[in-house]
Amino acid sequence: TYVTQFDAPMVTNWSVGMQRDVGFSLVADVAYVGNAARRNLINREINGRSHGTTFQPENLDPTNVIGGLLQPLPDDFLRPYRGYANITQMSTGGYSDYHSLQFSVNRRRAGDGLAFGVSYTNELKNMALGTIDPHVGDNHARNYTSGGRRPHILVINYSYEVPNLSGVWDNVLTKTVFDNWQVSGITSILSGSYGGITYGFSGVPTGTVTGNGAIGAGTASRVDIVCEPNLPRSERTFDRQFRTECVKPPSDPFRLGNAMGDELLGLGYMNWDISIFKNIPLGGTRRLQLRVELYNAFNTAQWSGVDTGAQFNFLTGEQTDANFGRLTGATLAARRIQLGARFTF
């Protein structure tokens, strides 16, 4: 069953920039870019119950015992509107905010054949409320998060027409082999993005009620973060990408946990894509171009996965997953080389 409430979405964008020619064929740009979106479409479960509901003594069924433990009453006995399952209210109660500083320097192609651009983006804030859980005290504090924010992005592009050697040594061999070369490419250097940690229990006794104890949709049960989990880059290893000792099972009776889901700064990487062209004039407007394109040209290791799924012993709370906090071994694409030819007439 769906109850809908809609207001017109509203997005406000800001952009303030300054551009200046700084000489040497260079143009510099500095800009602030931001936006605020309000009344985004969002779902709210109104026929559920809060985290921990099924754990409470008053909600246990004395006639249903498994493993010596009382089991909760059926969900439909505990819902606000009995006789109905989930009731989702679709409304425009979501919102998001974005703020960034952007810098760039670009060089126009000059007589020396060199053109390049350098751009840097610093995401100061990228937060959104995409979930409404009516069963927590402060929904904004719990669900207005910056998951997915990537703080630093640096991109360098370049194109260089290599000077013809025949200008110094004019002969057929030099013109054929060493003239009309061009090199271009893009180098990307990205920091990781922010994300969270999931968890589960091992060694759960028979009959124990697990999960978050909620009824109906709602935000997931989360871990407790008891210290700063992020390690300096110099201290990260294959087996230890963050401080796993800072991650504990939820300690509150409703198993809410205090994590926001944006505690971990993930994996960044550097990538070089390079193209080398050889242009061969064939008279008139005819030209043959030979191309060599290298993607991840230096075959740098670009790790793409970390085990962020904690596993805790149900009775002791100790971590039981030896791979927690390790790189998974997954990577982005290794070096690829592509050859091609193009005939223009």
Side-chain angles (χ1 to χ4, degrees), residues 291-308:
R291 307 163 66 100
V292 179
E293 298 172 325
L294 299 95
Y295 301 95
N296 190 8
F298 301 112
N299 205 31
T300 55
Q302 299 176 5
W303 304 106
S304 60
V306 179
D307 188 336
T308 57

Side-chain angles (χ1 to χ4, degrees), residues 165-182:
L165 188 59
S166 61
V168 178
W169 188 20
D170 189 5
N171 59 61
V172 174
L173 177 63
T174 302
K175 290 181 178 180
T176 303
V177 177
F178 297 104
D179 282 5
N180 301 308
W181 287 93
Q182 182 179 346

